[in-house]
Amino acid sequence: MKPLSRRELLTAVTVPWSKVASARPFGLPVGLQPYTVRADLKRDCLATLKQIAAIGYQELELEYPFYGMESQKLIELLHSLRMATPACHYPTPKDDSEWARNIEHAKVFGVKYMITPAPSAWRKSLDGWKKAAARFNELGVQCRKAGVTATYHN
């Protein structure tokens, strides 16, 4: 048996990233949280999203608002790239009407999981965590009524 050169070995064991990203492990689409490429998105949002899709990603976990792009334009772009948005990060709402607007946004984008953090001031004490839990329970009730799942992110 002929020994393999380093180049032959690397060629044999290396799988192009595009093949990995376009795979569907466990039958699920591969997604990306665009925060990891935020500098590129700030520089050229459209080109970056096109590159993400070209690599093979099928889903994005957005944050709202999305780098200044208008919602309708973003929806059209994601549709053209055949990308879904199952989850989106939203700022902690100041009141119920803001959360209601966020829920409407989620429904327009097809978001199933609304992700929101607790304000840092709430995370500094046991009473703060109790306040956060009570508020998130209220937000969760609103989401459940709308058919969306509320989630927490620190």
Side-chain angles (χ1 to χ4, degrees):
M1 178 170 171
K2 174 186 159 217
L4 292 176
S5 69
R6 181 178 297 150
R7 181 181 304 262
E8 291 168 326
L9 175 65
L10 290 174
T11 301
V13 300
T14 304
V15 176
W17 175 244
S18 62
K19 298 240 187 251
V20 173
S22 64
R24 293 180 65 93
F26 307 108
L28 300 171
V30 175
L32 175 73
Q33 184 180 32
Y35 180 81
T36 59
V37 291
R38 64 192 175 279
D40 299 304
L41 287 165
K42 287 177 184 174
R43 193 172 27 264
D44 190 341
C45 189
L46 180 62
T48 302
L49 288 175
K50 287 180 178 180
Q51 289 174 337
I52 290 167
I55 290 170
Y57 286 102
Q58 298 124 358
E59 293 185 342
L60 288 177
E61 184 177 287
L62 298 177
E63 66 178 85
Y64 178 74
F66 190 75
Y67 296 94
M69 188 176 279
E70 292 180 23
S71 293
Q72 189 57 42
K73 183 177 178 183
L74 181 57
I75 289 170
E76 291 168 6
L77 175 61
L78 294 174
H79 181 73
S80 73
L81 297 173
R82 297 179 178 214
M83 297 185 83
T85 54
C88 186
H89 293 251
Y90 294 89
T92 305
K94 293 170 184 55
D95 54 40
D96 286 348
S97 63
E98 181 181 352
W99 193 244
R101 286 190 302 276
N102 290 347
I103 289 172
E104 286 307 311
H105 174 271
K107 290 168 75 174
V108 167
F109 273 82
V111 169
K112 296 175 187 159
Y113 302 97
M114 294 179 68
I115 306 160
T116 192
S120 60
W122 291 4
R123 295 181 277 173
K124 294 182 179 179
S125 69
L126 180 57
D127 285 340
W129 277 110
K130 289 177 181 178
K131 181 178 179 179
R135 182 64 179 138
F136 284 124
N137 284 335
E138 294 168 3
L139 299 177
V141 168
Q142 293 175 46
C143 284
R144 184 178 299 131
K145 287 179 183 176
V148 181
T149 301
T151 64
Y152 167 76
H153 183 278
N154 61 345

